Amino acid sequence: MFHQEGFLAHQTWVADETELKANCNKRKREVCFTETIVKEAMETLKKINEFRFKYGKKPLKAKGDKKIYKRTNRSPVDPDARLSVKHEKRGRFAYFEHRIVDSLHNFIISAEVTAANVPGHKILPSQLDSLRNLFGRYSSEIALDAGYYKARLAIELFKRNIFAYISYRRTATNEHPQCRQRILLV
């Protein structure tokens, strides 16, 4: 394959997501409620309780699994698309394309299209595992944008011995009056 010929450098991969607009009207929508069960992360609770014990505090008790009812908007024309508020304030029906690129020659080595309500930090670990099955190894580094800045993703990357470069999200302050968020607040 091409990765054995030296076209790919497994030093640094870059991951990002792109919004793909769906061909449907955002004003015509169906509201659906889905029931999901959120399992409690026992490993995280164990680490928190070790930290609390170290500082003389009482340990937290396990609460168990929770049932959550999520409200989602679907289009009757394209039922797979979901409402995205990434680029428009009122939203539009769209998909996300999650892409991983090799930084040597900018080859796309993984692409996955999901509904717009699936964030990139939830898809990335499965994409990395499929690339490991394909290439036989993980990359040593990965570059991500600020949308991937999540603690659970960091834990997953550390388990795979991948060093992550995650960009900084600059919030709107008086020092940067040209920021888009600052202009909307004024």
Side-chain angles (χ1 to χ4, degrees), residues 2-3 6-9 12-14 99-110 135:
F2 58 91
H3 69 279
F7 288 110
L8 294 180
T12 306
W13 291 342
V14 180
R99 189 180 283 186
I100 297 178
V101 178
D102 182 64
S103 65
L104 180 64
H105 295 297
N106 295 331
F107 287 135
I108 299 170
I109 55 177
S110 177
F135 299 137

Side-chain angles (χ1 to χ4, degrees), residues 40 51 63 172:
E40 187 171 15
F51 185 79
K63 294 182 180 178

Side-chain angles (χ1 to χ4, degrees), residues 9-176:
H10 295 288
Q11 277 16 54
T12 306
W13 291 342
V14 180
D16 200 9
E17 64 185 31
T18 304
E19 184 180 281
L20 306 171
K21 185 178 175 186
N23 190 15
C24 50
N25 189 350
K26 69 179 177 183
R27 290 185 182 92
K28 307 266 192 222
R29 60 177 85 168
E30 299 170 348
V31 177
C32 300
F33 292 94
T34 57
E35 178 183 315
T36 58
I37 297 173
V38 178
K39 297 192 180 215
E40 187 171 15
M42 297 307 280
E43 291 179 20
T44 308
L45 184 64
K46 183 179 173 186
K47 288 180 183 179
I48 291 171
N49 283 338
E50 288 173 3
F51 185 79
R52 290 176 66 87
F53 179 74
K54 182 178 171 183
Y55 289 100
K57 295 186 177 187
K58 291 190 238 176
L60 299 176
K61 295 179 182 176
K63 294 182 180 178
D65 300 342
K66 288 193 280 185
K67 285 185 182 178
I68 296 177
Y69 294 97
K70 288 188 176 184
R71 178 180 183 233
T72 58
N73 294 311
R74 283 193 334 187
S75 169
V77 176
D78 190 359
D80 293 332
R82 293 292 182 264
L83 202 64
S84 169
V85 292
K86 191 171 186 177
H87 295 292
E88 284 189 28
K89 189 175 181 180
R90 294 184 148 205
R92 64 180 176 195
F93 285 105
Y95 296 97
F96 282 155
E97 180 194 12
H98 308 278
R99 189 180 283 186
I100 297 178
V101 178
D102 182 64
S103 65
L104 180 64
H105 295 297
N106 295 331
F107 287 135
I108 299 170
I109 55 177
S110 177
E112 188 171 339
V113 178
T114 61
N117 62 349
V118 180
H121 64 88
K122 291 189 177 181
I123 296 295
L124 186 64
S126 64
Q127 277 185 308
L128 291 173
D129 291 339
S130 67
L131 287 174
R132 185 186 188 285
N133 292 338
L134 179 66
F135 299 137
R137 55 177 254 162
Y138 291 118
S139 170
S140 57
E141 302 169 344
I142 190 164
L144 305 168
D145 67 353
Y148 289 88
Y149 189 75
K150 304 288 183 217
R152 288 191 181 172
L153 178 65
I155 291 169
E156 293 293 323
L157 293 174
F158 286 134
K159 284 180 186 176
R160 292 165 175 82
N161 284 335
I162 299 174
F163 184 80
Y165 299 100
I166 303 176
S167 65
Y168 173 73
R169 182 174 299 201
R170 185 173 71 184
T171 57
T173 61
N174 291 333
E175 296 173 15
H176 306 287

